[in-house]
Amino acid sequence: MVIRAIFLFLFCVPQFLLAQQFDKGYKERGKASFYGEDLDGKQTANGEKYDMYSMTAAHASIPFNSIIKVTNLDSPDKWVTLRINDRPLTPTRVLDISKRAALKLGMLKTGELTVELEILKVGDNQVVTTNSDSLKNKAEADKKIAATPSEKPKETQKTQKNTPTKKGEVAAGAAAVSTLPLEERFLQPGTYNVWGTKITPSGFGLQIGYFTDINKAIEVGREAIDLGLKELYIQSDNSGGNVTYRIIYGSKKDEESAKEQLPIAKMKGFPEAFVKKF
């Protein structure tokens, strides 16, 4: 995953010249593996940062931004669509894929899988370029975006503090929340289900994810539910000035009971899970 100047020279330029050999419908079979969590955030060959929860893949020569269908040949009902944004470091594999894609294909335990890829759309082979000015501007923009949601919970808290908590008003407030866009329902600090309803679990659970993007937290949370982790919560917090979101699985009365759920979470694709008190 780590970008190298020689690596880019060998792959990016020749690939541009040979990109026409790839057409929609092109198929290829071979071994696929997935990137480890230690590479999350590292730079890919097209200049992007690797995100283990994105649906991306590395191929030796298919143009960047091509969309491919990848099928598990041992279980053909398991398939995903991925975007090419990197080049594999090991030439013996036809693909390296993201952790999320590996989760969907059922290859987290084996680490390697025989797959068939099919090109659904040939990409433009564009490389992401960055410079110090653009990075500075992006950082400033990110600060403004982060500052905006952190102010909203304070206003909400102030309003609630000065407003009588009658049953009718509470019901009206809940109804008002239900009309908000999903990503806005989590702005006030607290614990919610993945649909944005505020709840009050107690005891201990397992933290299986941590995000600054609520949409990504919701997406991973719902995926965890699909994988069988039904009792799932999203905790919102803005104590550090920026809003963050923890994904918590389970609600047990004591720490030991929560620890007993660790093998389940790890088997479902969350090896870094740990006990967290509500």
Side-chain angles (χ1 to χ4, degrees):
M1 288 291 289
V2 180
I3 195 167
R4 298 179 177 89
I6 296 177
F7 190 75
L8 283 173
F9 176 79
L10 290 175
F11 280 109
C12 293
V13 177
Q15 178 193 311
F16 175 79
L17 297 175
L18 298 175
Q20 294 302 315
Q21 72 179 4
F22 293 104
D23 297 315
K24 179 180 177 181
Y26 169 86
K27 293 183 179 181
E28 186 177 347
R29 292 188 175 191
K31 294 291 185 181
S33 64
F34 70 95
Y35 294 124
E37 293 188 2
D38 57 322
L39 295 174
D40 193 43
K42 299 294 179 65
Q43 197 171 21
T44 64
N46 81 335
E48 297 176 354
K49 286 187 176 181
Y50 168 58
D51 179 353
M52 65 182 179
Y53 292 107
S54 64
M55 299 296 283
T56 56
H59 185 276
S61 52
I62 291 178
F64 293 137
N65 300 317
S66 294
I67 305 300
I68 62 173
K69 178 182 178 181
V70 181
T71 303
N72 178 343
L73 291 179
D74 294 327
S75 301
D77 59 320
K78 294 180 179 179
W79 57 271
V80 293
T81 55
L82 306 176
R83 180 175 60 87
I84 300 295
N85 73 336
D86 199 20
R87 302 297 178 218
L89 295 179
T90 304
T92 56
R93 295 190 293 265
V94 65
L95 284 176
D96 282 334
I97 65 177
S98 67
K99 180 185 175 182
R100 183 182 174 205
L103 191 66
K104 288 180 174 290
L105 287 174
M107 62 182 291
L108 285 183
K109 287 185 178 180
T110 60
E112 193 174 76
L113 198 66
T114 302
V115 301
E116 178 183 80
L117 71 85
E118 176 184 359
I119 294 181
L120 303 180
K121 179 183 178 182
V122 179
D124 55 16
N125 203 41
Q126 291 297 308
V127 175
V128 177
T129 58
T130 58
N131 55 49
S132 58
D133 290 334
S134 63
L135 290 173
K136 181 180 179 181
N137 292 336
K138 183 180 184 302
E140 292 175 352
D142 288 344
K143 286 182 180 179
K144 291 180 180 179
I145 292 171
T148 301
S150 65
E151 295 172 358
K152 291 183 179 179
K154 294 178 182 179
E155 295 173 357
T156 304
Q157 289 172 338
K158 183 177 180 180
T159 301
Q160 290 180 337
K161 185 177 179 180
N162 296 328
T163 303
T165 56
K166 296 179 181 179
K167 289 185 178 179
E169 292 172 343
V170 171
V177 168
S178 67
T179 64
L180 290 173
L182 184 58
E183 64 272 14
E184 293 184 17
R185 301 180 195 178
F186 301 84
L187 290 177
Q188 184 178 351
T191 303
Y192 304 79
N193 62 23
V194 294
W195 293 274
T197 301
K198 200 166 187 179
I199 47 183
T200 55
S202 60
F204 298 81
L206 300 181
Q207 181 171 316
I208 62 173
Y210 181 85
F211 302 92
T212 56
D213 181 348
I214 184 56
N215 291 300
K216 185 169 290 186
I218 293 170
E219 186 177 2
V220 173
R222 289 185 173 179
E223 189 168 291
I225 289 176
D226 291 340
L227 290 168
L229 304 182
K230 302 297 184 182
E231 189 181 358
L232 211 72
Y233 308 97
I234 296 179
Q235 278 192 333
S236 174
D237 178 50
N238 69 347
S239 59
N242 295 325
V243 182
T244 57
Y245 308 95
R246 292 182 174 87
I247 300 179
I248 309 293
Y249 163 59
S251 175
K252 301 295 181 181
K253 63 180 180 180
D254 56 66
E255 189 172 357
E256 289 303 315
S257 297
K259 284 182 179 179
E260 292 176 1
Q261 304 300 308
L262 278 171
I264 297 175
K266 292 180 178 181
M267 180 181 66
K268 296 295 184 179
F270 300 94
E272 303 302 319
F274 61 91
V275 175
K276 174 75 175 178
K277 186 177 182 179
F278 281 105

